[in-house]
Amino acid sequence: MSSGRKQYPFDLIEPKWQQKWDAEQTFRAWNPGETVPAKHPFGLRHGLAGKVAERSALPPKFYILDMFPYPSGAGLHVGHPEGYTATDILARYRRSQGLNVLHPMGWDAFGLPAEQYAIKTGQHPRKTTEENIANFKRQIKSLGFSYDWTREVDTTDPKYFQWTQWIFLQLYNSWFNPETNKAESIDTLKYPADCTTEEQKRAYRDNKRLAYVSEAPVNWCPELGTVLANEEVVDGKSEVGGFPVIRKPMRQWMLRITAYAEKLLNDLDTIDWTDSLKEMQRNWIGRSEGAEVDFQVDGHAAKIRVFTTRPDTLFGATYMVLSPEHKLVGEITTSAQAAAVKEYQRFATTKSDLERTELAKDKTGVWTGANAINPVNGEKIPIWIADYVLSTYGTGAIMAVPAHDERDFEFAKKFNLPIVQVVQPPDVKTDWRGFLDEGTAVNSSNADIALNGLSTKEAKRKISEWLDAKGLGKKTINYKLRDWLFSRQRYWGEPFPIIWKKDASGNLYHEALTASELPLRPPQLEEYKPTSDGQPPLARAKDWVNLPDGSIRETNTMPQWGGSCWYYLRYADALNGKVFVGPDAESYWMGTGKFQGEVKPGVDLYVGGTEHAVLHLLYARFWHKVLFDLGHVTTAEPFYKLVNQGLILGEMEFTAFNYDDGNPCSSNELKNVEEEATASGKRLVGVHKASGIKIAGRRIAENEVEKVTGGFALKTDKSILVDARSFKMSKARGNVVNPDEIVNDFGADSLRLYEMFMGPLQETKPWNTEGVEGVYRFLGRVWRMFVDDGSETAYEQAEAVATPETRGELLDLIILDGGILEAEPTKEQLKVLHTCIKKVTEDLEGMRFNTAISAMMVFSNEASTWQTKPFSVMKTFLQLLAPFAPHLAEELWSRLHSTFGHVAPSLTYAVWPKFDPALLVEDEVEIPVQVNGKLRDVIKVPTAATEAEIEAFALATEKIKAALEGKTVKKVIVPKKKLVNIVAV
RNA sequence: GCGCGAGUGGCGAAAUGGCAGACGCGCCAGACUUAGGAUCUGGUCCCGUAAGGGGUGAAGGUUCAAGUCCUUUCUCGCGCACCA
């Protein structure tokens, strides 16, 4: 489409308005206490022009936030503008409703790609980052989004990361007080009696901080040369790059997110997120209720503590399993078993997480030679070690109840361990072996306690009470959530404001910088690789690391998630040099605002993809809660309403399959058809159902296929079905759509409109560039509805010979269509307009952008046929269009007003039109008439007709009489005067 | 395996339990044109010349009335996955 005639001169219109909006700071959001310039349209609308915007005088706020983009070198893809357009439309709509809208944008700019580029080329990541930001910003600006650019933030800017480091100090200098159930200053910590020396106190204190150092096994990714948080490891591979991850003990900074597990879980009930997203967070937090039970090791002083959710099955515990890394393994292993145990431990630790997952089905383990005593029946049960027990969950040890646990059952079968039934399934025909659900307790009694006959629930309660009374165990709650591993062995991140010192006995300890010493900038380096002895790149900067007093700086840096944990707070007061966010700005923009009767604490609307479900969105909630506890913010949750945009897939692709001998294979002969990466790109591979052999597909063109019953088939042989599907856009597949090209060919307004017209925001949907032409044509029709044909022809002829310098003035050649007059609208015209106002307004409230656009298309289809187009109607239509296609709407709005000698008020701050229900009422309505639920006729009746009259009308028509012939009318239903259904037999 | 979501024309989709397919793409026909990959007009779920009949993944159910509610089932997508 890049050739061919333009539907309208969007290439002149769009830059013109973007420049104007920039120059006039149209979208600037005003903080309480700021002075609004005399001519600013926001001030003019709200009576604040030239005045100080006192908080009491400001209209209610509305904070609309987009997820923080990482400015990659690849630039924007069409997925970004989907969410950005949705929020921009709502931001513009809310402004016109009279709200003070905060709609900002910025850059999550620390990150791996810039650093890896630096390692390869030696170029400072700052340079790459700046270039990428400039490109992203250019692309985003070309789409005409109404951001307040004065609030732009960049996580790599020292003015920004100074405060990221400051928040780290807040975490460092706090502990979680279980009594008050919140974070408090570390100064409120009480020391136990046996902490007497400074060293002991320091150790105790450092162990309680929300930011602490741990020496545990961590996720090490050799390929990336850094550790990763649990949330960044997917299927044993790094989320970024998909490289293998192994477990390695290392000293690392951790953040105590587990202290907030309960709050993070419970407060999900106070926010308006989708159920699926809340469910993902709940699963990740993974709360489970159960009991801890102590088992005495036979012949040892040691006890083994286990966690179980099924204490009612304690009588069925026939063996125990420790994780290979469990502390007691060495102590209890008998000499006879020592060699086997050591060998198994070695085997377990060398396995990567990936291998552990892949080999999950085959159980392995060895006996330690030791036994434990089952506290309920005194029986000796063997203690094994096996890697199906994770050291990081619960106590790292389990009681195995093979009869009623799938994993224990498999393990017991493999190693011939006894299996004892303790739960009777409700249905007697169900095999109790491997029965996991609730039932009735059996074989569970001793001299002291009897569970037999009790339901699982009752049995759990009774045994828990008994264990508690006997001092053998207690009720406990466990979480899957682990503390957040917060350090990375990288250069391009925030340095920790931490220095290390040695105490009198030569042990290292850490101290934090003070807030006044921030920002701590990273040093200049010649090379960005880790050191040869495996230290992070910052260790290369000897002058930076080694301080005059002999102490040394921390050389780890913070992960990318740090900067993105609080950016939404900085937007509220982005230029504040004294605090991370001023209290007035924070409480105004983030406070508990009331709008349309709904109480919304925090950001009013947050839109982004699901990829951050358990990373950014969990981390940010955690930081926010800490800041809330410490009194720095006024709400307990940062994001009140969150909407996930759906993924945009590439255009539909067809794939044909062939056997090895070249004969075609119909796709319905295959199962498990999925994508496979090869050296030359990606392809589809399926498994032949009959033979089980793998068959690879090849992509074919759309004109080679034809629709048949059951799918698509080859044109050349219609018995051969082909696979038809859309794929995620990726460089490897070569199906990425670049927004720049769409803007160049069709304009920003068309791109915006198409992204919204594709379907509901939340759904996954395939891209189709031909669909862009559809909305582009619609905008062209709107344009032609307003402008004079002849003048446009003159414009086009002039344009063909214009120079770039003179082109801009050519727009003046275009005049308004003669049919637009300051005339009184007809009843019909008002009805068409108000139907559109109603639909667009309601759909904006419900974020149904696709149907709002179709309502405007209906309007333009109608209005195009009008001889006389009343000024007032056309003007109002432009207001409806403005949030969606702001450039075109502004251009026509200004022409419309100037043609009639009116001063055009700012379209951005023009009062949103209200629909008048009275105008939608018709004299006559069409009512469908059904006989036994089947449509037989449609009748026209006066709107004022009563139900009885409608019924009589319906029964009297020829078609209905015919349909009722030979039948007796049993009943006539006229629901809400909308339809008649005659029941007849 | 577990959890969540979705299945409607050739395609993207629309439908407070009340006329299934609005709107758009594509396609077909026509008009204007030297031309059309511009624009405008009309048509376009399936069977049938028509009258009529059938139709929202499949099978049951509730209801005067079901794409929509309930039960079973199949398919696809997403998330989690030895979490005791």
Side-chain angles (χ1 to χ4, degrees):
Chain A
M1 242 336 274
S2 44
S3 62
R5 198 168 126 182
K6 282 196 172 65
Q7 289 275 344
Y8 69 101
F10 62 82
D11 56 326
L12 295 180
I13 294 172
E14 292 178 353
K16 169 180 160 187
W17 288 97
Q18 285 163 16
Q19 281 156 24
K20 199 161 171 178
W21 294 328
D22 255 357
E24 296 177 0
Q25 296 204 3
T26 309
F27 310 118
R28 175 82 187 268
W30 305 95
N31 276 9
E34 281 187 301
T35 303
V36 183
K39 284 185 182 162
H40 195 275
F42 174 86
L44 294 173
R45 165 140 184 204
H46 296 285
L48 292 167
K51 292 186 189 158
V52 173
E54 298 297 346
R55 174 143 181 187
S56 57
L58 277 172
K61 64 95 185 185
F62 203 87
Y63 188 171
I64 304 186
L65 183 64
D66 290 302
M67 274 189 199
F68 212 25
Y70 173 73
S72 74
L76 229 53
H77 63 83
V78 293
H80 287 107
E82 189 192 14
Y84 299 166
T85 304
T87 51
D88 192 62
I89 288 168
L90 289 169
R92 288 172 180 270
Y93 169 61
R94 295 295 185 209
R95 276 189 205 100
S96 76
Q97 282 187 312
L99 296 168
N100 191 13
V101 171
L102 178 57
H103 188 43
M105 179 48 74
W107 319 108
D108 186 15
F110 276 127
L112 207 51
E115 176 156 350
Q116 286 184 326
Y117 191 72
I119 291 171
K120 256 195 280 175
T121 64
Q123 174 176 290
H124 196 286
R126 155 94 33 226
K127 187 150 184 286
T128 318
T129 303
E130 278 170 3
E131 286 165 5
N132 290 349
I133 287 176
N135 188 39
F136 253 69
K137 192 168 172 181
R138 174 192 61 78
Q139 290 187 299
I140 286 177
K141 284 203 145 190
S142 78
L143 295 172
F145 296 131
S146 63
Y147 295 120
D148 176 356
W149 286 103
T150 64
R151 295 170 188 262
E152 177 182 4
V153 301
D154 166 3
T155 54
T156 68
D157 182 345
K159 289 199 200 83
Y160 181 92
F161 71 66
Q162 158 180 16
W163 299 110
T164 309
Q165 291 169 331
W166 178 85
I167 295 172
F168 176 81
L169 292 184
Q170 303 306 305
L171 290 151
Y172 180 86
N173 289 316
S174 310
W175 70 297
F176 192 85
N177 184 342
E179 276 166 32
T180 57
N181 196 32
K182 56 186 233 174
E184 292 177 4
S185 163
I186 197 77
D187 300 336
T188 69
L189 186 65
K190 303 247 176 351
Y191 296 91
D194 57 356
C195 271
T196 50
T197 67
E198 240 342 281
E199 272 82 26
Q200 285 169 328
K201 280 188 179 171
R202 181 189 298 128
Y204 183 80
R205 186 169 61 228
D206 287 349
N207 214 21
K208 288 280 181 185
R209 296 178 188 275
L210 291 184
Y212 64 97
V213 173
S214 146
E215 191 74 64
V218 296
N219 304 303
W220 171 256
C221 179
E223 210 78 25
L224 296 175
T226 184
V227 297
L228 298 170
N230 285 325
E231 289 80 4
E232 291 172 299
V233 181
V234 179
D235 295 334
K237 286 181 276 187
S238 63
E239 203 203 12
V240 175
F243 302 117
V245 170
I246 59 167
R247 295 231 141 228
K248 187 175 166 182
M250 279 176 84
R251 197 199 68 203
Q252 297 293 333
W253 282 95
M254 309 289 289
L255 298 186
R256 205 176 300 280
I257 191 170
T258 52
Y260 281 84
E262 197 70 23
K263 287 188 184 191
L264 289 169
L265 188 65
N266 291 338
D267 287 358
L268 285 172
D269 296 336
T270 70
I271 52 182
D272 185 5
W273 293 13
T274 60
D275 289 339
S276 69
L277 191 57
K278 286 184 181 181
E279 204 52 34
M280 276 190 237
Q281 292 221 336
R282 287 195 191 103
N283 288 341
W284 192 262
I285 294 165
R287 182 184 195 271
S288 59
E289 278 181 47
E292 282 184 353
V293 186
D294 288 333
F295 284 64
Q296 186 66 52
V297 182
D298 190 30
H300 280 77
K303 284 181 178 165
I304 295 171
R305 178 164 291 183
V306 301
F307 174 72
T308 175
T309 54
R310 292 294 299 270
D312 61 299
T313 62
L314 196 42
F315 285 89
T318 55
Y319 65 101
M320 299 189 77
V321 186
L322 307 184
S323 67
E325 301 89 352
H326 197 280
K327 280 196 204 91
L328 284 175
V329 175
E331 192 179 322
I332 64 171
T333 301
T334 58
S335 49
Q337 288 297 100
V341 165
K342 264 227 147 55
E343 171 56 23
Y344 186 78
Q345 283 178 316
R346 204 191 52 75
F347 160 78
T349 50
T350 53
K351 267 206 254 179
S352 71
D353 279 21
L354 181 60
E355 288 167 318
R356 263 174 99 135
T357 322
E358 275 178 349
L359 301 172
K361 285 193 181 97
D362 193 25
K363 295 275 179 295
T364 57
V366 293
W367 184 38
T368 59
N371 294 301
I373 310 292
N374 187 334
V376 291
N377 55 20
E379 280 186 25
K380 268 196 201 175
I381 56 175
I383 304 169
W384 287 63
I385 63 169
D387 68 355
Y388 83 88
V389 172
L390 308 172
S391 61
T392 45
Y393 184 76
T395 60
I398 61 154
M399 65 176 210
V401 184
H404 307 296
D405 182 283
E406 205 179 351
R407 299 146 299 176
D408 298 344
F409 187 47
E410 279 173 31
F411 192 81
K413 278 191 292 190
K414 177 157 177 187
F415 294 102
N416 285 318
L417 292 157
I419 301 169
V420 175
Q421 180 190 14
V422 288
V423 179
Q424 177 58 46
D427 180 355
V428 286
K429 282 174 277 181
T430 311
D431 189 356
W432 59 265
R433 285 171 196 80
F435 177 75
L436 315 176
D437 293 337
E438 304 203 340
T440 310
V442 293
N443 301 329
S444 299
S445 69
N446 63 28
D448 218 22
I449 182 169
L451 304 178
N452 295 343
L454 296 179
S455 71
T456 297
K457 247 185 214 89
E458 289 164 352
K460 274 187 190 175
R461 196 178 55 230
K462 192 165 180 189
I463 190 76
S464 298
E465 283 165 11
W466 185 81
L467 288 167
D468 194 39
K470 293 271 170 188
L472 294 167
K474 60 175 196 308
K475 273 192 172 176
T476 318
I477 292 158
N478 237 305
Y479 301 93
K480 278 200 312 196
L481 183 71
R482 308 291 144 67
D483 276 341
W484 175 13
L485 197 155
F486 196 65
S487 43
R488 299 289 183 278
Q489 292 68 49
R490 287 185 190 158
Y491 173 75
W492 196 226
E494 301 88 347
F496 281 86
I498 292 287
I499 54 174
W500 291 85
K501 297 187 166 176
K502 276 186 185 151
D503 67 11
S505 42
N507 294 319
L508 281 172
Y509 68 93
H510 48 76
E511 266 179 14
L513 302 185
T514 61
S516 61
E517 293 170 276
L518 303 179
L520 173 63
R521 295 161 196 259
Q524 291 295 328
L525 293 185
E526 296 300 315
E527 225 189 316
Y528 301 95
K529 277 190 233 145
T531 64
S532 50
D533 57 343
Q535 289 196 69
L538 289 188
R540 291 178 176 277
K542 300 245 159 40
D543 292 349
W544 183 84
V545 170
N546 298 304
L547 297 172
D549 66 352
S551 54
I552 54 170
R553 287 195 196 277
E554 171 65 56
T555 53
N556 281 303
T557 56
M558 298 186 201
Q560 198 180 350
W561 311 106
S564 61
C565 262
W566 72 282
Y567 74 107
Y568 58 92
L569 293 169
R570 188 65 182 168
Y571 281 144
D573 201 10
L575 303 174
N576 196 320
K578 297 203 170 66
V579 285
F580 78 117
V581 57
D584 286 347
E586 191 280 332
S587 73
Y588 177 68
W589 292 115
M590 291 294 295
T592 302
K594 256 194 193 168
F595 175 61
Q596 293 183 345
E598 211 181 337
V599 178
K600 296 175 169 183
V603 171
D604 296 83
L605 179 66
Y606 195 17
V607 175
T610 47
E611 66 273 20
H612 296 302
V614 292
L615 287 154
H616 161 64
L617 288 173
L618 197 62
Y619 296 153
R621 291 181 64 216
F622 163 51
W623 276 34
H624 196 85
K625 286 180 180 305
V626 174
L627 292 170
F628 177 63
D629 283 353
L630 298 178
H632 298 301
V633 300
T634 52
T635 61
E637 284 287 335
F639 316 118
Y640 175 71
K641 185 176 171 72
L642 187 141
V643 172
N644 285 123
Q645 71 201 60
L647 206 60
I648 294 182
L649 304 174
E651 301 220 17
M652 178 139 65
E653 296 180 21
F654 297 95
T655 305
F657 296 88
N658 293 76
Y659 295 104
D660 281 348
D661 60 11
N663 282 322
C665 169
S666 185
S667 66
N668 59 355
E669 301 277 313
L670 303 172
K671 60 176 182 181
N672 303 337
V673 176
E674 44 191 38
E675 259 187 301
E676 184 187 77
T678 65
S680 55
K682 289 187 175 177
R683 62 177 188 179
L684 277 186
V685 173
V687 177
H688 193 252
K689 283 183 199 164
S691 65
I693 56 166
K694 274 176 115 184
I695 292 183
R698 70 195 153 80
R699 187 169 173 196
I700 55 172
E702 194 182 346
N703 59 19
E704 293 178 65
V705 302
E706 195 172 303
K707 174 72 193 176
V708 295
T709 317
F712 289 88
L714 286 178
K715 265 187 187 166
T716 49
D717 180 353
K718 294 189 183 95
S719 69
I720 303 298
L721 295 182
V722 301
D723 182 276
R725 65 176 76 185
S726 297
F727 299 91
K728 204 172 158 174
M729 287 190 190
S730 70
K731 249 196 214 164
R733 184 162 275 284
N735 60 349
V736 177
V737 177
N738 183 346
D740 283 347
E741 283 174 24
I742 304 296
V743 171
N744 185 57
D745 292 352
F746 306 103
D749 284 338
S750 293
L751 175 60
R752 294 168 59 113
L753 218 55
Y754 177 64
E755 297 244 6
M756 295 298 101
F757 190 61
M758 289 170 83
L761 180 65
Q762 295 87 341
E763 307 281 295
T764 301
K765 43 211 172 281
W767 180 269
N768 175 10
T769 298
E770 280 176 345
V772 185
E773 293 185 43
V775 293
Y776 177 55
R777 280 204 280 266
F778 161 65
L779 293 179
R781 274 199 298 278
V782 170
W783 172 256
R784 288 190 295 277
M785 194 157 80
F786 280 86
V787 303
D788 177 73
D789 273 355
S791 73
E792 220 203 337
T793 310
Y795 157 79
E796 278 173 9
Q797 286 164 353
E799 205 229 358
V801 295
T803 62
E805 293 75 44
T806 58
R807 275 192 77 224
E809 294 152 25
L810 295 179
L811 276 179
D812 297 340
L813 291 171
I814 295 168
I815 60 168
L816 214 58
D817 180 63
I820 299 179
L821 299 166
E822 282 190 291
E824 203 51 39
T826 66
K827 210 177 153 196
E828 178 60 23
Q829 287 172 331
L830 283 175
K831 202 192 109 195
V832 171
L833 174 68
H834 281 255
T835 305
C836 189
I837 297 174
K838 180 171 192 282
K839 182 80 178 142
V840 171
T841 306
E842 288 172 356
D843 285 350
L844 282 173
E845 289 295 339
M847 298 181 75
R848 293 178 297 266
F849 305 105
N850 53 333
T851 48
I853 293 165
S854 73
M856 290 188 282
M857 287 172 168
V858 171
F859 174 90
S860 89
N861 288 346
E862 286 283 335
S864 302
T865 66
W866 296 345
Q867 289 297 314
T868 302
K869 290 171 261 192
F871 173 85
S872 64
V873 171
M874 303 312 282
K875 182 190 88 150
T876 307
F877 170 71
L878 288 177
Q879 286 189 267
L880 301 178
L881 181 67
F884 299 84
H887 310 89
L888 178 62
E890 286 269 20
E891 178 68 23
L892 293 174
W893 175 264
S894 98
R895 282 174 182 278
L896 194 59
H897 283 83
S898 63
T899 302
F900 291 99
H902 302 307
V903 176
S906 163
L907 181 50
T908 301
Y909 293 96
V911 178
W912 188 256
K914 244 183 116 145
F915 77 90
D916 181 354
L919 296 172
L920 302 183
V921 176
E922 313 217 25
D923 299 336
E924 279 194 321
V925 282
E926 289 195 336
I927 292 187
V929 184
Q930 299 177 336
V931 174
N932 292 333
K934 286 196 173 131
L935 183 72
R936 291 299 171 208
D937 201 2
V938 178
I939 56 170
K940 261 196 174 164
V941 299
T943 310
T946 63
E947 283 185 16
E949 283 166 347
I950 294 169
E951 184 179 327
F953 250 119
L955 287 166
T957 72
E958 290 306 317
K959 279 189 182 172
I960 296 303
K961 276 196 220 157
L964 289 174
E965 206 160 273
K967 289 180 177 155
T968 322
V969 175
K970 288 275 180 200
K971 201 175 175 186
V972 180
I973 297 146
V974 188
K976 290 175 235 160
K977 297 193 200 175
K978 281 177 81 176
L979 168 143
V980 179
N981 190 12
I982 301 162
V983 187
V985 284

